[in-house]
Amino acid sequence: MSIVILGVTSNIWAQSTAYQDSPYLQDFSVKYYLPDTSTQLHKVFTDKNGKTRISSSVGILQPHDGQFQYPGTLRSDRSYLPMLDKKITDMAAHEKQFVFLDDKAVFSNAWAGHLYSKHELPKATRFGSAPDFTFLVADGSSLKIIKDSKTLSTHPFSKVPLDIRFDKNQRRFLILDTQSLTTYSLDSKELKTVFTGQSLTCMAVGNSRVYVGTKNGFWELDANGFKPLGNLQTKLPCPDLTAIEVINGQLWFGSSLGAFMRRSDGGYNYYYGERWLPSNRVVHISEGENQNINILTTKGLGEIHFQKMTLYDKAMVYEKQVRQRHIRYGFNCDVSTLKNGDLSTFEMGQRDSDNLWTSMYLVSQLFRYKVTGDKEALDNCLESFEAMQRLFSITGMKGYFARGFERHGYFKFKPERWDGGMTNGWVKSSDEEWDWRGTTSSDQTVGQMFALTLLAQNMDGEVKQKAIHLMDQLMTNIIENDWYLIDFDGKPTLWGKWNPEYVNGFPKNVGDRKLYASNIIGFLQTAYHFTKKEIYKQKAYELMNKHGYLENLLRPMKEIGQVTESDGKLAAELSEEWNHSDDEMYFLAYWCLYPYAFTPELKKQYFTAIKEHWDMERPEKNGLWNLCYAMTGAKEFDKAETIWFLKEFPLDMIEWQVINSHRKDIETVPANFRGQTITKVLPPDERPELKHNRNLFKLDRTANGQSELSAGDSFLLPYWMGRYLKVISAPTH
């Protein structure tokens, strides 16, 4: 059931079926880097007091001064000065207290220092601990079982242990080397080889299983008879395993290319790159404080935090991020330049599509205000609207808005033209303190109309009238200039073209023909609705009936494809691959096209076209596309996938290096026009692209820490849109 309020479908049915925004576990990372990367790190543990300590080639280290997005360092632990003189070779957490191995004893500073069990193995390298303070110590030639400094038994053992664990259910130690797994029973005193393999690297015990890692996957063994439960499991993000741990019933892996956790559905959450870890080669994994996971790498410690958070809580984190580093003259500066991921080095600058990204942020704040009544949201919205209004006034050209502006002298002017456009389009303003940028494009126009439409629809008084006035001036300008945006030099901009001769000059299977028709008809409908000027309806029908724009915009997406240069060089260039910026232009402009259809019949036709487009986009699981489709009143719009999209969005918006092409747990597909690389899209926090106008199936990004994306357009717009459409409830905690 749906009704129309102010031209937009309000999903009354959604009120009873909205996602209830209760707390879930949000993951993020706090990193600690080694000042000296020549230091070798060995193991990390956290004790019952929440203290984390790391064994290394230079002694025991501790994390210092780290927080989310502001890394700390690893420093020497000087809390027990006598520890500085000891030759620590191994470390463990026994009853959640630190226990150490040196060349003389197994000892601890807990339990009033009573634990000091001598082993008399000067070259001891590994030990394991049983609950009754019985320890197995190995030195590469023998195994010794000790308790209270007494030797209970000694056994020759020439293999070099990689790890020693204790299986409390079976009362036995497990000793792993590169080719075998050996047990020592405390009851029978028997030493027995129970499993052999190639290139063994690590192991863990838990869930009535023994997990043995190799350089090419892992074995899952029954803990009783050590029988393999299936074949070697190799379909992993990286099968070259370096660590395995069972933590709270979940199986965690370290590898030479990041860490990952096995989910209940058999898939893996992958933690790769400096979004999560100081380096990708994992050394050790252990349970941290609360629900944190310690992941020790060759260059430092990554703490994966799991914090209870609602989607609203998450949105508030992003709201702060935008205001701190992404507001430039009121614009949503979608990218801030960084040096090595250091947020203190951020620089904002004019971007090609400031107008578009700002329109998306502006509408997010408008929706936030309409939903919550928050004055801060209204202030944010109006500040961005002021910036977008100035884009019109700074040009001195009625109805023509700039691409952006900056204080005078920070951009070089290059007025020479190329291929119908400008090299950079910077122009001196009548105000000598400012310059503005021309070459305004169709996607900028989508941004203006998206923002102006929602402002006119949702605001009253002066703001509403200003929005309608700018909308009227813009559309009058386009009509009077024969469906072109005319730049400061009197010539059309490269992309601001809706002229029938230009649009219909493309072959029918070139996306721009459908896109331009869909956008301009939506703009004209909206302008007519708010101004009541008959010229807008007249011109819209003229384009639809005389020039085939209705046919263009209704053309099924499945007919859009690649063409050759025989259809024209520009047509071929525009259809080399699927243009995801076009998807963004379509879906934002659907807020103009669908609600303000001239007739119920047209609205029905538009719905069919929008649904067909959405059906094609569904594999991307893009929350914004889903919600723009939900605006039509559609009852099925992949709500679960939308919530998945929002929950999986990374809190850290720095564009860290992300590599997935090596993964063995994903299924690739042949190269194709749409740029889909794998059968199922990866979660947002595992992929390189987060902006809606990029290919969400892209697997890799090599650049590392050079920029931070704004969440204003990428997360806040779909979240607050979901709240506005009553698809997402207010927080329930």
Side-chain angles (χ1 to χ4, degrees):
M1 177 183 177
S2 63
I3 61 173
V4 174
I5 300 175
L6 293 174
V8 164
T9 302
S10 176
N11 293 310
I12 291 181
W13 57 267
Q15 295 183 30
S16 61
T17 60
Y19 166 73
Q20 296 302 301
D21 188 18
S22 57
Y24 67 98
L25 290 178
Q26 174 66 49
D27 51 355
F28 61 91
S29 174
V30 176
K31 293 167 290 188
Y32 302 87
Y33 287 83
L34 267 173
D36 180 1
T37 56
S38 66
T39 299
Q40 295 180 348
L41 301 178
H42 302 315
K43 290 185 178 180
V44 57
F45 292 100
T46 300
D47 72 2
K48 67 178 185 179
N49 304 310
K51 295 188 296 183
T52 298
R53 296 296 184 264
I54 298 160
S55 60
S56 78
S57 59
V58 294
I60 303 302
L61 305 177
Q62 62 179 328
H64 172 73
D65 201 27
Q67 55 183 301
F68 173 59
Q69 291 195 310
Y70 294 89
T73 57
L74 296 182
R75 296 187 178 181
S76 176
D77 175 21
R78 303 181 63 85
S79 54
Y80 286 92
L81 292 181
M83 293 286 291
L84 299 178
D85 297 324
K86 293 186 177 295
K87 299 177 182 179
I88 307 296
T89 58
D90 201 5
M91 176 182 177
H94 184 88
E95 296 183 359
K96 302 206 76 172
Q97 299 277 22
F98 298 128
V99 178
F100 306 95
L101 174 72
D102 70 0
D103 55 346
K104 296 182 177 62
V106 175
F107 69 96
S108 176
N109 297 313
W111 303 290
H114 283 301
L115 176 57
Y116 191 84
S117 193
K118 298 178 181 178
H119 53 65
E120 298 179 346
L121 294 174
K123 296 182 179 180
T125 58
R126 290 286 182 271
F127 80 109
S129 59
D132 62 351
F133 294 93
T134 298
F135 301 99
L136 186 152
V137 182
D139 66 354
S141 61
S142 64
L143 300 177
K144 181 176 285 192
I145 313 300
I146 62 172
K147 184 176 182 180
D148 297 330
S149 297
K150 296 178 181 179
T151 299
L152 303 183
S153 63
T154 302
H155 303 269
F157 195 80
S158 60
K159 302 170 184 177
V160 178
L162 298 172
D163 196 6
I164 300 174
R165 302 289 182 107
F166 186 75
D167 181 358
K168 63 181 180 180
N169 292 330
Q170 302 292 332
R171 282 182 47 80
R172 63 191 174 194
F173 287 100
L174 306 179
I175 308 105
L176 182 75
D177 62 79
T178 58
Q179 294 183 324
S180 63
L181 178 64
T182 303
T183 63
Y184 176 81
S185 170
L186 288 180
D187 296 328
S188 68
K189 309 295 191 275
E190 181 183 11
L191 196 64
K192 181 180 180 181
T193 298
V194 294
F195 179 79
T196 58
Q198 298 295 318
S199 301
L200 308 184
T201 57
C202 51
M203 70 168 169
V205 182
N207 306 326
S208 299
R209 302 284 189 269
V210 176
Y211 304 94
V212 179
T214 78
K215 290 184 176 294
N216 188 37
F218 73 98
W219 294 98
E220 187 170 346
L221 310 177
D222 176 74
N224 293 318
F226 297 96
K227 179 181 179 180
L229 301 175
N231 298 322
L232 182 69
Q233 298 190 36
T234 59
K235 291 186 176 181
L236 310 174
C238 175
D240 182 12
L241 300 180
T242 58
I244 305 181
E245 196 61 57
V246 179
I247 302 175
N248 298 323
Q250 293 179 312
L251 195 57
W252 283 84
F253 298 87
S255 76
S256 58
L257 290 171
F260 40 98
M261 181 200 75
R262 188 166 70 178
R263 301 191 303 267
S264 59
D265 63 3
Y268 295 91
N269 289 349
Y270 189 31
Y271 299 91
Y272 175 97
E274 289 186 85
R275 179 181 286 166
W276 304 104
L277 308 172
S279 71
N280 285 315
R281 187 165 189 86
V282 176
V283 176
H284 187 235
I285 297 177
S286 68
E287 181 179 1
E289 187 178 18
N290 298 324
Q291 299 190 61
N292 301 348
I293 305 296
N294 296 322
I295 300 182
L296 191 64
T297 75
T298 53
K299 293 184 179 179
L301 173 65
E303 289 179 349
I304 308 300
H305 289 236
F306 292 90
Q307 181 174 318
K308 283 190 175 182
M309 191 177 284
T310 62
L311 289 178
Y312 173 80
D313 295 331
K314 188 172 186 176
M316 290 300 101
V317 174
Y318 292 130
E319 293 282 0
K320 186 175 182 180
Q321 180 245 23
V322 174
R323 303 309 299 182
Q324 287 185 333
R325 294 186 294 277
H326 293 278
I327 297 300
R328 170 189 165 275
Y329 305 137
F331 291 112
N332 171 37
C333 184
D334 72 313
V335 176
S336 290
T337 303
L338 305 177
K339 295 180 180 177
N340 303 317
D342 183 350
L343 291 176
S344 69
T345 66
F346 84 95
E347 298 176 2
M348 298 184 296
Q350 197 278 327
R351 308 290 176 181
D352 286 350
S353 296
D354 274 356
N355 170 278
L356 176 59
W357 314 131
T358 302
S359 76
M360 297 170 76
Y361 172 65
L362 181 156
V363 172
S364 81
Q365 298 306 289
L366 175 62
F367 286 159
R368 177 185 168 194
Y369 171 64
K370 296 300 291 185
V371 167
T372 66
D374 191 333
K375 184 179 182 300
E376 179 184 90
L378 177 61
D379 290 344
N380 295 343
C381 173
L382 296 181
E383 180 183 13
S384 290
F385 184 36
E386 183 176 8
M388 293 184 71
Q389 290 178 80
R390 194 179 184 205
L391 291 174
F392 281 91
S393 63
I394 201 169
T395 67
M397 302 167 64
K398 186 177 180 181
Y400 180 69
F401 64 96
R403 189 180 272 272
F405 54 76
E406 183 54 276
R407 296 188 184 276
H408 176 65
Y410 285 88
F411 289 92
K412 294 181 180 179
F413 300 102
K414 297 179 181 179
E416 65 270 17
R417 302 185 66 84
W418 61 276
D419 195 25
M422 304 294 294
T423 56
N424 66 6
W426 282 96
V427 185
K428 294 180 179 178
S429 169
S430 58
D431 182 343
E432 64 181 14
E433 293 296 325
W434 293 90
D435 301 328
W436 60 273
R437 189 179 181 186
T439 71
T440 303
S441 66
S442 54
D443 60 331
Q444 305 290 298
T445 309
V446 167
Q448 281 286 356
M449 289 300 295
F450 177 60
L452 296 175
T453 298
L454 271 300
L455 284 166
Q457 174 186 297
N458 286 282
M459 299 298 287
D460 295 314
E462 184 180 4
V463 174
K464 182 184 184 77
Q465 293 309 311
K466 284 182 177 180
I468 295 172
H469 176 68
L470 291 178
M471 182 190 302
D472 186 27
Q473 284 196 331
L474 173 58
M475 296 314 299
T476 298
N477 178 296
I478 292 173
I479 291 173
E480 290 181 348
N481 286 293
D482 197 21
W483 306 106
Y484 291 109
L485 279 179
I486 301 300
D487 216 341
F488 65 90
D489 59 356
K491 298 179 182 180
T493 66
L494 180 59
W495 302 114
K497 301 174 181 178
W498 299 269
N499 179 276
E501 183 177 351
Y502 172 79
V503 172
N504 290 331
F506 291 113
K508 292 183 178 180
N509 60 336
V510 172
D512 284 55
R513 182 163 174 161
K514 175 181 172 72
L515 173 65
Y516 278 85
S518 178
N519 285 173
I520 196 66
I521 297 303
F523 300 162
L524 291 168
Q525 288 180 163
T526 304
Y528 171 74
H529 176 86
F530 287 106
T531 67
K532 304 304 179 186
K533 292 185 177 180
E534 285 295 326
I535 188 173
Y536 295 130
K537 178 184 280 191
Q538 173 193 335
K539 290 296 183 180
Y541 274 109
E542 181 180 310
L543 290 177
M544 286 193 288
N545 297 330
K546 182 179 178 180
H547 298 290
Y549 276 34
L550 182 59
E551 177 187 351
N552 286 346
L553 73 87
L554 294 179
R555 183 164 292 111
M557 280 288 180
K558 63 184 179 182
E559 296 182 12
I560 306 300
Q562 195 166 5
V563 302
T564 65
E565 287 203 14
S566 63
D567 294 299
K569 183 178 180 181
L570 180 59
E573 289 176 352
L574 292 174
S575 67
E576 289 177 353
E577 60 185 7
W578 193 262
N579 191 322
H580 298 276
S581 287
D582 287 358
D583 290 324
E584 189 166 60
M585 293 168 66
Y586 277 116
F587 277 102
L588 296 182
Y590 287 155
W591 286 78
C592 302
L593 181 70
Y594 180 80
Y596 302 108
F598 293 131
T599 67
E601 181 183 4
L602 279 175
K603 178 170 281 193
K604 185 177 180 180
Q605 290 177 295
Y606 295 160
F607 177 83
T608 299
I610 295 170
K611 183 181 186 304
E612 191 268 341
H613 184 191
W614 175 76
D615 279 334
M616 182 168 283
E617 296 297 322
R618 290 180 78 180
E620 293 186 5
K621 299 184 181 181
N622 186 309
L624 181 56
W625 301 169
N626 293 343
L627 291 165
C628 287
Y629 175 53
M631 172 269 298
T632 65
K635 293 184 178 180
E636 298 295 333
F637 56 90
D638 288 351
K639 182 176 70 176
E641 286 76 5
T642 300
I643 301 305
W644 171 86
F645 171 88
L646 295 172
K647 286 184 176 180
E648 294 292 331
F649 219 78
L651 281 182
D652 187 346
M653 296 289 285
I654 295 174
E655 293 196 287
W656 297 110
Q657 182 186 79
V658 175
I659 306 294
N660 288 293
S661 54
H662 62 268
R663 293 177 63 165
K664 306 300 182 185
D665 64 325
I666 55 178
E667 185 178 347
T668 60
V669 298
N672 56 82
F673 175 59
R674 287 187 60 83
Q676 184 169 342
T677 56
I678 52 180
T679 55
K680 295 181 180 179
V681 70
L682 294 171
D685 62 358
E686 294 181 21
R687 63 189 184 219
E689 303 295 9
L690 297 174
K691 293 185 71 65
H692 302 292
N693 67 332
R694 299 181 186 176
N695 180 7
L696 303 187
F697 279 94
K698 183 179 177 182
L699 295 177
D700 300 340
R701 176 180 55 243
T702 56
N704 191 39
Q706 297 176 7
S707 57
E708 182 190 49
L709 298 181
S710 168
D713 49 278
S714 54
F715 182 93
L716 292 180
L717 178 59
Y719 169 73
W720 289 113
M721 186 181 289
R723 292 286 304 275
Y724 177 77
L725 293 173
K726 297 182 172 61
V727 170
I728 302 171
S729 78
T732 60
H733 72 303

